[in-house]
Amino acid sequence: MNKKIIALLLVVALASTGAVFAKTGLGLQGGYVVGGGAGAALTFKLDSLPCVFAVDLGFGNGIAVGVTADWWIQNPKIEGTWGWFYGVGLAGSLYLGDVLHFGAYGRALVGTNVFLLDKFLELYLQAAWQPGLYIASGIKPVLVSFPINAGFRFWF
């Protein structure tokens, strides 16, 4: 009897996992912050959550971690599988080096995306205005921050 229950639980767990991954986008993006520098990030989207996420990790004289969560308000179609989007989001950054730096930002973004290979591959380009606060030895407002990103996501 216990073997049947365990087998049933495994089947349910595997079926549930397949359903979650069937609506998951996972990819990479590269970008440049005007007035800053270049970088790369892992990007992902789950249909069960309203945001598109990106996480980057940088190494230099210390370790830098950045995260974004963007909520696309609309993603209307231009033609076929090509569309454009706009939205708002949040970003954070943490730098662990000789001095601890922390940043918290709001985001307003616009971009374009296209789905290829029967909606298995998404290509996108986006730009954002990212004002916020930068904290190191004091608090400094950041009003001029414009990240531009291009990337891809595979949808499973």
Side-chain angles (χ1 to χ4, degrees), residues 43-54:
T43 177
F44 61 96
K45 169 74 172 97
L46 306 172
D47 268 359
S48 59
L49 298 174
C51 294
V52 178
F53 299 93

Side-chain angles (χ1 to χ4, degrees), residues 69-140:
D70 293 334
W71 177 54
W72 292 6
I73 295 171
Q74 289 285 321
N75 187 196
K77 300 298 174 212
I78 295 171
E79 184 176 321
T81 61
W82 177 35
W84 70 284
F85 57 88
Y86 61 94
V88 295
L90 298 172
S93 63
L94 177 65
Y95 176 76
L96 304 168
D98 51 344
V99 177
L100 176 65
H101 302 254
F102 175 75
Y105 312 92
R107 289 170 55 86
L109 58 125
V110 64
T112 185
N113 65 338
V114 63
F115 287 91
L116 305 171
L117 304 174
D118 199 25
K119 296 189 178 183
F120 175 67
L121 174 64
E122 175 190 12
L123 303 176
Y124 65 90
L125 175 66
Q126 69 181 25
W129 175 48
Q130 189 170 285
L133 296 175
Y134 181 75
I135 303 165
S137 56
I139 298 175
K140 176 184 172 186

